[in-house]
Amino acid sequence: MRTRAARKDGPMTTPQVLMCRPTYFTVSYRINPWMRPEEHTDTDLALRQWDTLYATYRDLGFGVELVDPLPGYPDMVFAANGGTVIDGIAWTARFRHTERAAEGPAYGAWFARHGLTVREASAVNEGEGDVLLVGDTIYAGTGFRTDPVAHAEAAEVFGREVVSLQLVDPRFYHLDTAFAVLDPAGGPGSVAYLPSAFDDASQEVLRFRFPDAVIASEDDASVLGLNCFSDGRTVVHAPQAEKFAADLAERGFGTVAVDTSELRRGGGGIKCCTLELRPDREA
Ligand code: ARG
């Protein structure tokens, strides 16, 4: 594993995350351009890669919870899509495609069992795949999966500002494939993104809000490099995203490379496997 220590100090969060073992992972349908059901998938390899990600999070001190995988739901490993949890409120997911529909209630039941305040979504939204918190502001993607109506619903549910971002490249169909939160505390350089994945108006918004953002290359985004997870100090990322990792190190982030190449056959990477459980502010 390639690892570089962080040179940053200052506050960092100890994330609590929810993951789902890829016990039933395969590619049996195609709902994004990465998926090729005609190709063989190696479920054992996916499990080994996922185990490494799990162990990496534990080594970084994260709290990691697990939800039971459902047979017949090969994409359930992509826990980020299972909902959005902010301030102890779990806003459920409603999937765009019937192939994943049952995952919404499965994650919803987990949230309820674990003491979160569950708010059932009425609009189509794919959880943290399209809904990312930076500082106090929610950034929400639309264009392929999450309905723009869901952005207004998120603002109401969480009582926070929601900034809508329009995705335009089918390879980057979820916001978390084109936009990465490097520092959950926010700030001008707290994110990374691939400009060409967004329409002109959204690029303008991103330039204005994040003037010092890490601008990812096509090469790094094409290996789902932006689908990384950071506690604000250390970024867990795809080893294939070499320039991205070097840019992060230059900014003082620690980097840990974890290969989830087999899961990429489903169109997901590290962040997709990771749903953040943000506790109540008072808790
Ligand atoms: N096959 C899954 C889908 O297309 C991949 C989901 C990836 N998740 C994510 N958060 N980007 O729905």
Side-chain angles (χ1 to χ4, degrees), residues 25-27 29-35 74-82 95 97 100 103 126-130 145 173-177 224 227 263 265-269 271-274:
F25 177 72
T26 186
V27 177
Y29 50 80
R30 181 173 165 98
I31 57 172
N32 70 54
W34 303 82
M35 301 175 86
D75 276 337
M76 197 167 163
V77 59
F78 300 120
N81 300 125
F95 284 85
H97 300 99
R100 299 194 66 186
E103 294 179 43
E126 298 201 349
E128 278 214 336
D130 275 323
R145 300 292 181 88
Y173 56 95
H174 276 143
L175 181 61
D176 71 359
T177 63
L224 290 179
N227 200 255
L263 293 167
R265 294 175 178 278
K271 174 65 187 81
C272 298
C273 295
T274 315

